[in-house]
């Protein structure tokens, strides 16, 4: 029988790789986002209310939008609103308070590298956006939504590109705000921008409904995302101009964030 002093303890051969650490971080980030009441309100409840309320109001008035049923034109816009609410507002607020309480600084000292932390945030964001879209699609179908499936390839490709580029654009802008301002200022500004873009940013309703201002609104990330989603789901077409606008905003936001973001 060996004595305690003669025992040899061999550690595991290396720590966890980047992939498992990023996935664990993403799961934690997603759970935190969904457990936060304000984040859940922005992510799911408000878009559902906008969709149901808009369809009900249009139904009572007996109105149509550009010859389409209200639910058919409002649904793509509300899907775009859901992407904006999570990718911009939720990311900005959560990151701002993580900076305030030193969470990001502590995570930066963990075995997870900083680029792994950002990858985890992005993966969590995409998971929450996917959950939002599933919930909204179910609600829209229950309201009678009939997406254009005459040519499914441009429809599916247009939606995927719109969601991916819209998420990238708004997430980069959300991180830009969170990395440059104090948490309280980030909270106020993120909510204000969200409300302004929801009401007048061309995300829920087509930019053509804003009259002369529509020409300017279509160059905003909100207007570009809304138009790209409507083009894919209403007209079964890929709106290349709107996608390029989103890509430009994503590149600009990423560049500015990389130069100005403060980790503590």
């Amino acid at each position: 029988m060996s004595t305690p002093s003669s025992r040899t303890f061999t550690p595991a051969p290396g720590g966890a790789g980047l992939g498992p650490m990023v996935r664990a971080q993403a799961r934690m980030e997603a759970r935190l986002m969904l457990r936060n009441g304000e984040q859940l309100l922005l992510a799911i409840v408000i878009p559902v209310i906008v969709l149901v309320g808009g369809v009900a109001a249009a139904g009572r008035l007996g109105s149509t939008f550009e010859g389409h049923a209200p639910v058919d034109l409002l649904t793509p816009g509300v899907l775009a609103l859901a992407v904006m609410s999570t990718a911009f507002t939720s990311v900005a607020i959560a990151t701002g308070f993580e900076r305030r309480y030193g969470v990001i600084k502590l995570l930066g000292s963990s075995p997870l590298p900083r680029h792994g932390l950002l990858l985890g945030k992005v993966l969590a964001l995409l998971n929450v956006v996917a959950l939002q879209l599933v919930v909204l699609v179910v609600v829209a179908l229950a309201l009678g939504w009939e997406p254009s499936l005459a040519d499914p390839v441009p429809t599916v490709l247009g939606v995927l590109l719109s969601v991916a580029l819209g998420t990238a654009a708004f997430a980069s802008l959300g991180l830009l705000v969170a990395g440059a301002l104090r948490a309280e200022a980030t909270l106020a500004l993120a909510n204000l921008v969200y409300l302004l873009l929801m009401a007048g940013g061309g995300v829920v309703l087509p930019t053509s409904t804003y009259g002369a201002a529509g020409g300017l609104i279509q160059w905003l990330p909100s207007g570009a995302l809304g138009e790209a989603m409507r083009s894919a789901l209403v007209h079964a077409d890929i709106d290349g101009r709107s996608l390029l606008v989103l890509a430009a905003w994503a590149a600009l936001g990423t560049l500015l964030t990389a130069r100005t973001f403060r980790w503590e």
Side-chain angles (χ1 to χ4, degrees):
M1 181 176 180
S2 60
T3 62
S5 60
S6 64
R7 294 177 182 175
T8 301
F9 296 93
T10 304
L18 178 62
M21 288 193 294
V22 168
R23 289 193 294 270
Q25 180 68 22
R27 287 194 296 270
M28 183 191 72
E29 295 274 359
R31 286 198 298 268
L32 290 175
M33 290 178 69
L34 293 176
R35 287 176 181 175
N36 187 301
E38 182 181 355
Q39 308 285 358
L40 189 62
L41 179 69
L42 286 170
I44 297 178
V45 177
I46 289 180
V48 168
I49 291 175
V50 171
L51 177 60
V52 175
V55 171
R60 286 196 298 270
L61 296 174
S63 59
T64 61
F65 296 98
E66 299 178 351
H68 299 280
V71 68
D72 291 338
L73 204 65
L74 286 174
T75 297
V78 171
L79 294 177
L81 176 67
V83 172
M84 185 181 76
S85 67
T86 297
F88 176 72
T89 313
S90 296
V91 165
I93 294 172
T95 306
F97 280 95
E98 285 175 356
R99 284 183 60 242
R100 174 181 177 179
Y101 295 119
V103 174
I104 292 182
K105 182 179 179 181
L106 291 175
L107 288 174
S109 64
S110 70
L112 180 66
R114 288 188 172 185
H115 68 275
L117 171 63
L118 292 177
L119 287 174
K121 283 184 172 293
V122 171
L123 185 57
L125 177 60
L126 291 174
N127 287 333
V128 174
V129 168
L131 175 61
Q132 287 177 276
L133 299 186
V134 169
V135 171
L136 288 170
V137 165
V138 170
V139 173
L141 291 174
L143 293 173
W145 178 43
E146 296 181 358
S148 177
L149 297 176
D151 193 350
V153 173
T155 297
V156 174
L157 183 59
V159 169
L160 292 177
L161 289 174
S162 301
V163 171
L165 291 174
T167 299
F170 280 108
S172 65
L173 295 173
L175 290 173
L176 174 63
V177 172
L181 301 177
R182 295 175 53 194
E184 293 82 2
T186 297
L187 173 64
L189 181 61
N191 282 319
L192 176 61
V193 171
Y194 173 74
L195 292 174
L196 290 175
L197 292 181
M198 179 174 62
V203 60
V204 177
L205 296 176
T207 56
S208 59
T209 62
Y210 293 88
L216 176 62
I217 292 173
Q218 65 182 348
W219 295 101
L220 297 176
S222 55
L225 178 57
E227 290 300 300
M229 292 290 283
R230 280 183 287 272
S231 181
L233 292 170
V234 177
H235 306 293
D237 190 21
I238 297 176
D239 188 347
R241 187 202 62 80
S242 295
L243 294 177
L244 286 175
V245 171
L246 288 174
W249 278 102
L252 178 63
T254 300
L255 177 62
L256 294 177
T257 299
R259 294 192 174 192
T260 63
F261 190 86
R262 299 193 303 269
W263 291 84
E264 55 182 292

